[in-house]
Amino acid sequence: MRGRNWTRRDVLRASAAPASGLLLAEPLRAAAPPPAAVTPALIEAARKEGKLAFYSALELNVGERLARTFEAKYPGIAVRVERSGAERIFQRIAQEQGSGIKAVDIANSTDPAHYLDWKKNDWLEAYVPEDVAKHFPADQVDPDGMHATACAWIEAIGYNTDLVKREDAPKSYADLLDPKWQGKIVKAHPGYSGAIMTATFVLSRELGWSYFEKLARQKVMQVQSAADPPKKILLGERAVMADGNDYNLVLLKDQGKPVEVVYASEGSPLIIVPSGIFRGAPNPNAAKLFQNFFFSAETQQMLVDTYAHRSFHAQVKEKGAHVPLSELKLLKSDPAAVQEHGEAIKARYTKLFGV
């Protein structure tokens, strides 16, 4: 199994195997468990475990900051960050679970469709931190308490202000099809990045695959992660990015770098990042403590202030002049549809762009 490249279809097929080839119905569940607070008993139990494995699709510097801050708050518990693209994390967890390996304690992904698979397979543990119950909107919390949205951001257009004048910059996805941008665009890949998978689904739904067919003729530089396009335009390797995390550009602009973020007139894909604990986790108490830490007002505010992420925590304030979500035209995904069509999306995209 180690060398296998698992897909969502493989995961669903594996989960059906014990039922003689019949798909299992989703397990019956009680209502979400009551909110869980951080108690001395939980801290002590977590310290006895002494460690936890955090699989994360957040950028490595963000995941490591979360880990080190948690370790400072709760000495004696070491956090191992396993960072990769969301699609790679999905494949790794499938391989481990299929082999009977219980290695992951807690995971987040930039592709919410992964949580539909994990929940259907009964791989997630119900747990609702107190802050989630008190301060998060219901639409950002799984009704069975299996996961909640830890942070969010926008997939945006952007450009290098040294290479593109403001009046000439693209203001829409349609503008990216102008011949003047041929050979000057960089874009990330849905086969690696969960955020780009979500954005590709949303834009194919809103604009049609004809948009991507035309964009593919623009001699686009293809990269992996949604964090890569902002870096390419900062370096001047490309003048414009067709997608990429808006927070990277916001942070660079705050530092005085020559970049600008554009929220397209057609609307911008909203990327939510759920977090959940895995059933049978080797360090369940440390995982619960980390989940409480992750969703606390203090940690959520740090994600906003330091990394320009978005938070749904009602007590968290937006950073400075950053455009609040309420002022943006947001294009929201449909995780169930992404789950159903994800492999077809990756195949069609790869064929169009030749990568």
Side-chain angles (χ1 to χ4, degrees):
M1 290 204 181
R2 182 171 299 172
R4 183 174 179 180
N5 188 27
W6 281 64
T7 67
R8 290 184 176 86
R9 189 175 296 108
D10 293 325
V11 175
L12 292 174
R13 185 182 297 118
S15 71
S20 302
L22 297 176
L23 281 176
L24 294 173
E26 184 169 339
L28 294 176
R29 306 184 191 280
V38 174
T39 64
L42 177 61
I43 296 172
E44 180 61 25
R47 285 196 169 124
K48 285 182 179 178
E49 292 166 352
K51 62 184 183 299
L52 70 96
F54 175 40
Y55 289 21
S56 178
L58 298 173
E59 287 195 64
L60 182 59
N61 63 327
V62 181
E64 289 289 347
R65 173 68 178 270
L66 288 167
R68 304 293 83 81
T69 304
F70 177 83
E71 290 172 346
K73 186 176 181 68
Y74 299 106
I77 308 172
V79 181
R80 187 179 84 252
V81 179
E82 297 288 346
R83 195 276 160 190
S84 190
E87 300 304 313
R88 300 292 187 270
I89 288 173
F90 179 78
Q91 293 164 6
R92 175 173 177 173
I93 289 175
Q95 290 172 337
E96 291 175 351
Q97 294 285 337
S99 301
I101 297 171
K102 302 294 185 180
V104 57
D105 290 303
I106 188 169
N108 63 39
S109 174
T110 52
D111 185 346
H114 293 165
Y115 288 83
L116 298 182
D117 287 325
W118 293 338
K119 184 178 176 180
K120 185 177 182 66
N121 294 343
D122 203 24
W123 291 351
L124 297 173
E125 184 72 35
Y127 187 76
V128 181
E130 196 170 48
D131 272 79
V132 169
K134 288 183 177 179
H135 303 299
F136 279 69
D139 66 352
Q140 299 303 321
V141 183
D142 176 64
D144 296 315
M146 298 295 169
H147 55 83
T149 300
C151 60
W153 57 74
I154 306 297
E155 288 304 305
I157 296 172
Y159 64 95
N160 182 307
T161 57
D162 286 343
L163 301 176
V164 180
K165 296 178 181 178
R166 182 178 295 273
E167 58 270 24
D168 297 331
K171 298 174 178 60
S172 67
Y173 289 108
D175 288 347
L176 296 176
L177 305 180
D178 190 311
K180 72 180 181 181
W181 301 122
Q182 191 171 90
K184 299 179 180 179
I185 299 174
V186 60
K187 189 182 180 309
H189 199 293
Y192 177 87
S193 167
I196 301 302
M197 167 63 81
T198 297
T200 303
F201 165 78
V202 167
L203 293 179
S204 64
R205 180 190 67 195
E206 299 293 323
L207 307 178
W209 276 100
S210 61
Y211 164 73
F212 288 104
E213 291 169 2
K214 295 171 184 174
L215 185 65
R217 300 181 197 130
Q218 291 286 66
K219 299 180 180 177
V220 175
M221 172 190 281
Q222 190 72 58
V223 293
Q224 285 190 327
S225 170
D228 291 337
K231 298 171 185 176
K232 294 298 184 182
I233 64 169
L234 173 65
L235 294 172
E237 293 184 30
R238 286 294 187 272
V240 174
M241 69 181 206
D243 57 28
N245 302 329
D246 72 329
Y247 65 81
N248 293 104
L249 295 185
V250 169
L251 292 173
L252 289 169
K253 186 178 177 182
D254 285 349
Q255 298 167 19
K257 303 298 184 182
V259 297
E260 185 61 78
V261 61
V262 175
Y263 299 107
S265 59
E266 298 97 336
S268 300
L270 173 67
I271 307 302
I272 62 171
V273 185
S275 178
I277 296 171
F278 275 73
R279 187 180 298 278
N283 305 290
N285 294 294
K288 291 174 182 177
L289 189 60
F290 190 88
Q291 189 81 329
N292 275 284
F293 160 81
F294 203 174
F295 286 92
S296 68
E298 181 181 11
T299 301
Q300 292 285 304
Q301 192 67 62
M302 182 271 288
L303 289 171
V304 170
D305 291 344
T306 307
Y307 298 106
H309 287 17
R310 312 293 182 136
S311 172
F312 290 99
H313 196 300
Q315 295 180 331
V316 170
K317 307 299 182 185
E318 188 59 78
K319 181 180 179 181
H322 296 176
V323 182
L325 292 179
S326 60
E327 295 182 14
L328 294 174
K329 180 179 180 181
L330 300 175
L331 301 178
K332 297 182 179 181
S333 184
D334 178 351
V338 174
Q339 179 190 43
E340 180 181 358
H341 301 294
E343 295 307 314
I345 288 171
K346 285 189 281 190
R348 189 166 186 176
Y349 184 95
T350 298
K351 183 176 181 181
L352 282 176
F353 287 87
V355 289

PDB file of all heavy atoms in Angstrom, residues 177-196:
ATOM      1  N   LEU A 177      -7.751  36.465 -19.691  1.00  0.00           N
ATOM      2  CA  LEU A 177      -7.747  35.851 -21.026  1.00  0.00           C
ATOM      3  C   LEU A 177      -7.270  36.814 -22.106  1.00  0.00           C
ATOM      4  O   LEU A 177      -7.125  36.416 -23.265  1.00  0.00           O
ATOM      5  CB  LEU A 177      -9.151  35.342 -21.357  1.00  0.00           C
ATOM      6  CG  LEU A 177      -9.770  34.374 -20.334  1.00  0.00           C
ATOM      7  CD1 LEU A 177     -11.158  33.939 -20.776  1.00  0.00           C
ATOM      8  CD2 LEU A 177      -8.870  33.167 -20.109  1.00  0.00           C
ATOM      9  N   ASP A 178      -6.999  38.061 -21.729  1.00  0.00           N
ATOM     10  CA  ASP A 178      -6.482  39.046 -22.676  1.00  0.00           C
ATOM     11  C   ASP A 178      -5.125  38.576 -23.204  1.00  0.00           C
ATOM     12  O   ASP A 178      -4.257  38.160 -22.425  1.00  0.00           O
ATOM     13  CB  ASP A 178      -6.318  40.395 -21.975  1.00  0.00           C
ATOM     14  CG  ASP A 178      -6.013  41.537 -22.935  1.00  0.00           C
ATOM     15  OD1 ASP A 178      -5.105  41.388 -23.781  1.00  0.00           O
ATOM     16  OD2 ASP A 178      -6.678  42.588 -22.830  1.00  0.00           O
ATOM     17  N   PRO A 179      -4.903  38.610 -24.514  1.00  0.00           N
ATOM     18  CA  PRO A 179      -3.627  38.154 -25.089  1.00  0.00           C
ATOM     19  C   PRO A 179      -2.402  38.827 -24.482  1.00  0.00           C
ATOM     20  O   PRO A 179      -1.303  38.253 -24.522  1.00  0.00           O
ATOM     21  CB  PRO A 179      -3.770  38.500 -26.574  1.00  0.00           C
ATOM     22  CG  PRO A 179      -5.248  38.482 -26.823  1.00  0.00           C
ATOM     23  CD  PRO A 179      -5.858  39.022 -25.563  1.00  0.00           C
ATOM     24  N   LYS A 180      -2.565  40.021 -23.914  1.00  0.00           N
ATOM     25  CA  LYS A 180      -1.395  40.728 -23.365  1.00  0.00           C
ATOM     26  C   LYS A 180      -0.788  39.988 -22.169  1.00  0.00           C
ATOM     27  O   LYS A 180       0.358  40.249 -21.796  1.00  0.00           O
ATOM     28  CB  LYS A 180      -1.757  42.155 -22.969  1.00  0.00           C
ATOM     29  CG  LYS A 180      -2.630  42.283 -21.737  1.00  0.00           C
ATOM     30  CD  LYS A 180      -2.934  43.752 -21.446  1.00  0.00           C
ATOM     31  CE  LYS A 180      -3.796  43.941 -20.208  1.00  0.00           C
ATOM     32  NZ  LYS A 180      -4.108  45.368 -19.941  1.00  0.00           N
ATOM     33  N   TRP A 181      -1.544  39.060 -21.567  1.00  0.00           N
ATOM     34  CA  TRP A 181      -1.025  38.323 -20.406  1.00  0.00           C
ATOM     35  C   TRP A 181      -0.412  36.982 -20.795  1.00  0.00           C
ATOM     36  O   TRP A 181       0.038  36.245 -19.923  1.00  0.00           O
ATOM     37  CB  TRP A 181      -2.136  38.100 -19.378  1.00  0.00           C
ATOM     38  CG  TRP A 181      -2.754  39.364 -18.860  1.00  0.00           C
ATOM     39  CD1 TRP A 181      -4.057  39.722 -18.915  1.00  0.00           C
ATOM     40  CD2 TRP A 181      -2.069  40.442 -18.228  1.00  0.00           C
ATOM     41  NE1 TRP A 181      -4.249  40.960 -18.344  1.00  0.00           N
ATOM     42  CE2 TRP A 181      -3.043  41.427 -17.917  1.00  0.00           C
ATOM     43  CE3 TRP A 181      -0.736  40.688 -17.888  1.00  0.00           C
ATOM     44  CZ2 TRP A 181      -2.710  42.627 -17.286  1.00  0.00           C
ATOM     45  CZ3 TRP A 181      -0.404  41.887 -17.264  1.00  0.00           C
ATOM     46  CH2 TRP A 181      -1.382  42.842 -16.979  1.00  0.00           C
ATOM     47  N   GLN A 182      -0.359  36.666 -22.081  1.00  0.00           N
ATOM     48  CA  GLN A 182       0.208  35.387 -22.495  1.00  0.00           C
ATOM     49  C   GLN A 182       1.669  35.291 -22.064  1.00  0.00           C
ATOM     50  O   GLN A 182       2.476  36.196 -22.311  1.00  0.00           O
ATOM     51  CB  GLN A 182       0.098  35.201 -24.006  1.00  0.00           C
ATOM     52  CG  GLN A 182       0.423  33.787 -24.448  1.00  0.00           C
ATOM     53  CD  GLN A 182       0.105  33.562 -25.918  1.00  0.00           C
ATOM     54  OE1 GLN A 182       0.959  33.776 -26.774  1.00  0.00           O
ATOM     55  NE2 GLN A 182      -1.120  33.134 -26.206  1.00  0.00           N
ATOM     56  N   GLY A 183       1.998  34.202 -21.395  1.00  0.00           N
ATOM     57  CA  GLY A 183       3.365  33.998 -20.902  1.00  0.00           C
ATOM     58  C   GLY A 183       3.702  34.788 -19.654  1.00  0.00           C
ATOM     59  O   GLY A 183       4.862  34.776 -19.216  1.00  0.00           O
ATOM     60  N   LYS A 184       2.724  35.441 -19.045  1.00  0.00           N
ATOM     61  CA  LYS A 184       2.986  36.285 -17.873  1.00  0.00           C
ATOM     62  C   LYS A 184       2.199  35.862 -16.632  1.00  0.00           C
ATOM     63  O   LYS A 184       2.212  36.554 -15.623  1.00  0.00           O
ATOM     64  CB  LYS A 184       2.640  37.744 -18.206  1.00  0.00           C
ATOM     65  CG  LYS A 184       3.470  38.324 -19.345  1.00  0.00           C
ATOM     66  CD  LYS A 184       3.076  39.756 -19.644  1.00  0.00           C
ATOM     67  CE  LYS A 184       3.907  40.328 -20.787  1.00  0.00           C
ATOM     68  NZ  LYS A 184       3.525  41.734 -21.117  1.00  0.00           N
ATOM     69  N   ILE A 185       1.525  34.695 -16.704  1.00  0.00           N
ATOM     70  CA  ILE A 185       0.639  34.248 -15.626  1.00  0.00           C
ATOM     71  C   ILE A 185       1.216  33.018 -14.941  1.00  0.00           C
ATOM     72  O   ILE A 185       1.794  32.139 -15.570  1.00  0.00           O
ATOM     73  CB  ILE A 185      -0.760  33.917 -16.184  1.00  0.00           C
ATOM     74  CG1 ILE A 185      -1.403  35.150 -16.815  1.00  0.00           C
ATOM     75  CG2 ILE A 185      -1.669  33.350 -15.090  1.00  0.00           C
ATOM     76  CD1 ILE A 185      -2.725  34.868 -17.526  1.00  0.00           C
ATOM     77  N   VAL A 186       1.030  32.949 -13.620  1.00  0.00           N
ATOM     78  CA  VAL A 186       1.386  31.769 -12.836  1.00  0.00           C
ATOM     79  C   VAL A 186       0.132  31.260 -12.135  1.00  0.00           C
ATOM     80  O   VAL A 186      -0.750  32.035 -11.769  1.00  0.00           O
ATOM     81  CB  VAL A 186       2.500  32.084 -11.811  1.00  0.00           C
ATOM     82  CG1 VAL A 186       2.065  33.168 -10.831  1.00  0.00           C
ATOM     83  CG2 VAL A 186       2.932  30.822 -11.059  1.00  0.00           C
ATOM     84  N   LYS A 187       0.072  29.936 -11.971  1.00  0.00           N
ATOM     85  CA  LYS A 187      -1.130  29.323 -11.400  1.00  0.00           C
ATOM     86  C   LYS A 187      -0.774  28.031 -10.676  1.00  0.00           C
ATOM     87  O   LYS A 187       0.147  27.324 -11.073  1.00  0.00           O
ATOM     88  CB  LYS A 187      -2.153  29.036 -12.511  1.00  0.00           C
ATOM     89  CG  LYS A 187      -3.503  28.612 -12.003  1.00  0.00           C
ATOM     90  CD  LYS A 187      -4.448  28.293 -13.145  1.00  0.00           C
ATOM     91  CE  LYS A 187      -5.798  27.881 -12.568  1.00  0.00           C
ATOM     92  NZ  LYS A 187      -5.656  26.827 -11.528  1.00  0.00           N
ATOM     93  N   ALA A 188      -1.530  27.695  -9.610  1.00  0.00           N
ATOM     94  CA  ALA A 188      -1.297  26.460  -8.853  1.00  0.00           C
ATOM     95  C   ALA A 188      -2.176  25.322  -9.365  1.00  0.00           C
ATOM     96  O   ALA A 188      -3.059  25.530 -10.196  1.00  0.00           O
ATOM     97  CB  ALA A 188      -1.540  26.709  -7.363  1.00  0.00           C
ATOM     98  N   HIS A 189      -1.932  24.106  -8.843  1.00  0.00           N
ATOM     99  CA  HIS A 189      -2.514  22.881  -9.402  1.00  0.00           C
ATOM    100  C   HIS A 189      -3.474  22.195  -8.426  1.00  0.00           C
ATOM    101  O   HIS A 189      -3.122  21.979  -7.259  1.00  0.00           O
ATOM    102  CB  HIS A 189      -1.377  21.914  -9.755  1.00  0.00           C
ATOM    103  CG  HIS A 189      -1.764  20.845 -10.719  1.00  0.00           C
ATOM    104  ND1 HIS A 189      -2.657  19.846 -10.425  1.00  0.00           N
ATOM    105  CD2 HIS A 189      -1.371  20.616 -12.006  1.00  0.00           C
ATOM    106  CE1 HIS A 189      -2.810  19.048 -11.460  1.00  0.00           C
ATOM    107  NE2 HIS A 189      -2.037  19.484 -12.434  1.00  0.00           N
ATOM    108  N   PRO A 190      -4.675  21.809  -8.869  1.00  0.00           N
ATOM    109  CA  PRO A 190      -5.646  21.146  -7.998  1.00  0.00           C
ATOM    110  C   PRO A 190      -5.268  19.719  -7.612  1.00  0.00           C
ATOM    111  O   PRO A 190      -5.856  19.150  -6.689  1.00  0.00           O
ATOM    112  CB  PRO A 190      -6.931  21.159  -8.831  1.00  0.00           C
ATOM    113  CG  PRO A 190      -6.454  21.181 -10.250  1.00  0.00           C
ATOM    114  CD  PRO A 190      -5.223  22.034 -10.226  1.00  0.00           C
ATOM    115  N   GLY A 191      -4.296  19.145  -8.295  1.00  0.00           N
ATOM    116  CA  GLY A 191      -3.859  17.801  -7.951  1.00  0.00           C
ATOM    117  C   GLY A 191      -2.989  17.767  -6.717  1.00  0.00           C
ATOM    118  O   GLY A 191      -2.772  16.699  -6.135  1.00  0.00           O
ATOM    119  N   TYR A 192      -2.487  18.913  -6.306  1.00  0.00           N
ATOM    120  CA  TYR A 192      -1.632  19.010  -5.111  1.00  0.00           C
ATOM    121  C   TYR A 192      -2.330  19.766  -3.998  1.00  0.00           C
ATOM    122  O   TYR A 192      -2.312  19.352  -2.841  1.00  0.00           O
ATOM    123  CB  TYR A 192      -0.314  19.716  -5.458  1.00  0.00           C
ATOM    124  CG  TYR A 192       0.599  19.911  -4.265  1.00  0.00           C
ATOM    125  CD1 TYR A 192       1.493  18.908  -3.885  1.00  0.00           C
ATOM    126  CD2 TYR A 192       0.574  21.089  -3.524  1.00  0.00           C
ATOM    127  CE1 TYR A 192       2.325  19.073  -2.791  1.00  0.00           C
ATOM    128  CE2 TYR A 192       1.414  21.262  -2.430  1.00  0.00           C
ATOM    129  CZ  TYR A 192       2.281  20.256  -2.069  1.00  0.00           C
ATOM    130  OH  TYR A 192       3.096  20.426  -0.984  1.00  0.00           O
ATOM    131  N   SER A 193      -2.932  20.881  -4.340  1.00  0.00           N
ATOM    132  CA  SER A 193      -3.491  21.793  -3.350  1.00  0.00           C
ATOM    133  C   SER A 193      -4.992  21.620  -3.200  1.00  0.00           C
ATOM    134  O   SER A 193      -5.743  21.707  -4.175  1.00  0.00           O
ATOM    135  CB  SER A 193      -3.181  23.243  -3.761  1.00  0.00           C
ATOM    136  OG  SER A 193      -3.944  24.159  -3.003  1.00  0.00           O
ATOM    137  N   GLY A 194      -5.439  21.406  -1.973  1.00  0.00           N
ATOM    138  CA  GLY A 194      -6.870  21.333  -1.707  1.00  0.00           C
ATOM    139  C   GLY A 194      -7.565  22.650  -1.950  1.00  0.00           C
ATOM    140  O   GLY A 194      -8.710  22.700  -2.412  1.00  0.00           O
ATOM    141  N   ALA A 195      -6.872  23.761  -1.633  1.00  0.00           N
ATOM    142  CA  ALA A 195      -7.452  25.078  -1.872  1.00  0.00           C
ATOM    143  C   ALA A 195      -7.690  25.303  -3.359  1.00  0.00           C
ATOM    144  O   ALA A 195      -8.727  25.850  -3.765  1.00  0.00           O
ATOM    145  CB  ALA A 195      -6.530  26.164  -1.306  1.00  0.00           C
ATOM    146  N   ILE A 196      -6.735  24.874  -4.182  1.00  0.00           N
ATOM    147  CA  ILE A 196      -6.882  25.051  -5.625  1.00  0.00           C
ATOM    148  C   ILE A 196      -7.903  24.077  -6.189  1.00  0.00           C
ATOM    149  O   ILE A 196      -8.604  24.393  -7.165  1.00  0.00           O
ATOM    150  CB  ILE A 196      -5.516  24.916  -6.333  1.00  0.00           C
ATOM    151  CG1 ILE A 196      -4.535  25.966  -5.782  1.00  0.00           C
ATOM    152  CG2 ILE A 196      -5.660  25.091  -7.829  1.00  0.00           C
ATOM    153  CD1 ILE A 196      -5.019  27.411  -5.925  1.00  0.00           C
TER     154      ILE A 196
END
